[in-house]
Amino acid sequence: MSNVYQDLKELEAKGEYIKIGLIGAGQMGTDIVSQVAQMDGVKVPVVADIDIERAKKAYQSAGISTEDIIMSDDAEEMNNYIKEDKSVVTSDGFAVPEVESIDVIIDATGIPGVGARIGLETINNKKHIVMMNVEADVVVGPILKKMADNAGVVYTGAAGDEPGAIMEIYNFAKSLGYKVVAAGKGKNNPLDRKANPERVAERAKKKGTAPHMMACFMDGTKSMLEMAAVSNATGLVPDVPGMHGPKTTIEDLPKVYSLEKDGGILQNEGVVDFALGNIAPGVFVIVTTDNERIKFSMNYSKMGEGPNYLLYRPYHLASLETPLSAVRAVLYNEATIAPIGDIVTEVTTIAKKDLKTGEEIDGIGGFAVYGSVDKAEVAREKNLLPLGLSEGAILKEDVKEGEKLSLDMVELNKDSVIYELWKLQKRFFN
């Protein structure tokens, strides 16, 4: 078993470092810079953001002197500054994968179109990519993963985000031979399908989060994106469109996530879901076994009488854990979480309000739409619009609030890397 701490200490002792190029200096990106600053054997020598001052503040929050922060948008120049042990800020995130000395890129932008292009540029430059951008991953993650494999680099989701934390438990359970009944997360914020940046502005300000991100959390989109990522990495599927999302407690999770015939809510086992109640910020996997001796030992270990058992992680540290995915990619060529093949679960698009012909759909966490989930075969059969392709799409007909949007209802923005990758992915896997 790898010992990350010891391996990083050995790098530090030799004066060597894993060099992370960070793209996106919002709340998550700023956390990453500060977290890495207290780690051995790893550095973030380049931070990119369209707001240069925000990139500088990310370094300053980590205790880096203003005198050591240099601005450049040229890849070769950035590389030279890194050799001088400077901290570089840039407004051109797409130039960062071209910086020779960078080992791994972390995309913390949260914008699907941007993430798709960053992923492609990173892989083309034969560097590992940590895709915090689950918004892009659930649309074109499978093709980016295939490209990364062919290039001999790692495509991975992030440790600390709920999908990565769930995957940790899932791998543990499956390695021990347990049957996984359900995997899920606690939802942190109250569910409000009509949440938009104006409606949640005050709450976002109190939490120190951008209003569109808070809207994405509250309208349920983020939970859909995250559990779709888990589905695409495991083969588990939503039991019903949009998932169940029951209000429950930690103690009742094994009972709630059992089959209907046994008093639970499930039509089928092997599902992804989210739960309201006291589960957040934790994540969970419900497992079962037919072996009577294991049932005895699980009861002896105070895991309950069964037949379902709860494996629960009471926290996820989000961006604070993400550097570990970058480290594991570089040191061990390991992914924290990644698609196992084609899309298993599609994040679809639902009208948040009545929409009119000619209206342009704004971004995730905006005013127009929110995300739901369907099994991929259902989404294909109904020709449903993937949420990650919805931004900038123009409506060709009126759509009622709560209606699922199909690809036939919109004119897509086809002048984008994410659209081209999506088309390539369809051809490759279908």
Side-chain angles (χ1 to χ4, degrees), residues 2-134:
S2 56
N3 187 330
V4 175
Y5 168 64
Q6 192 60 44
D7 291 343
L8 287 176
K9 280 191 70 68
E10 289 177 7
L11 277 181
E12 178 91 14
K14 291 187 291 185
E16 299 176 4
Y17 301 89
I18 294 167
K19 298 179 182 67
I20 297 171
L22 174 67
I23 304 175
Q27 180 182 359
M28 298 294 185
T30 298
D31 284 350
I32 288 169
V33 179
S34 287
Q35 188 67 61
V36 169
Q38 70 175 23
M39 295 171 66
D40 290 327
V42 58
K43 290 183 177 181
V44 182
V46 180
V47 175
D49 199 280
I50 55 174
D51 182 344
I52 283 292
E53 289 305 311
R54 189 161 57 186
K56 289 179 181 177
K57 286 178 182 177
Y59 275 132
Q60 291 164 351
S61 296
I64 294 170
S65 168
T66 305
E67 289 74 27
D68 290 325
I69 302 173
I70 306 291
M71 189 206 164
S72 174
D73 287 335
D74 180 80
E76 186 175 347
E77 191 175 61
M78 287 188 233
N79 198 56
N80 291 332
Y81 284 134
I82 291 170
K83 291 177 181 177
E84 297 171 8
D85 205 28
K86 298 296 184 182
S87 298
V88 182
V89 294
T90 179
S91 60
D92 187 1
F94 302 117
V96 180
E98 299 175 6
V99 179
E100 184 180 357
S101 58
I102 293 296
D103 300 303
V104 54
I105 299 294
I106 297 178
D107 170 26
T109 64
I111 303 170
V114 174
R117 185 177 166 191
I118 289 169
L120 183 60
E121 295 284 347
T122 300
I123 293 163
N124 284 343
N125 281 278
K126 297 194 182 303
K127 299 185 190 299
H128 307 296
I129 174 72
V130 179
M131 186 63 77
M132 287 192 77
N133 194 330
V134 70

Side-chain angles (χ1 to χ4, degrees), residues 165 222 345 385:
K222 195 69 171 180
T345 290
L385 172 63

Side-chain angles (χ1 to χ4, degrees), residues 6-7 31 50 63 66 84 92 101 157 162 170 189 205 227 236 250 268 277 303 314 326 346 364 373 387 404 409:
Q6 192 60 44
D7 291 343
D31 284 350
I50 55 174
T66 305
E84 297 171 8
D92 187 1
S101 58
E162 282 103 330
Y170 175 86
N189 295 283
K205 185 176 181 180
M227 297 318 299
L236 304 174
I250 295 169
N268 300 283
M303 295 295 289
E346 190 77 76
I364 292 172
V373 287
L387 182 67
K404 291 183 179 180
M409 294 176 175

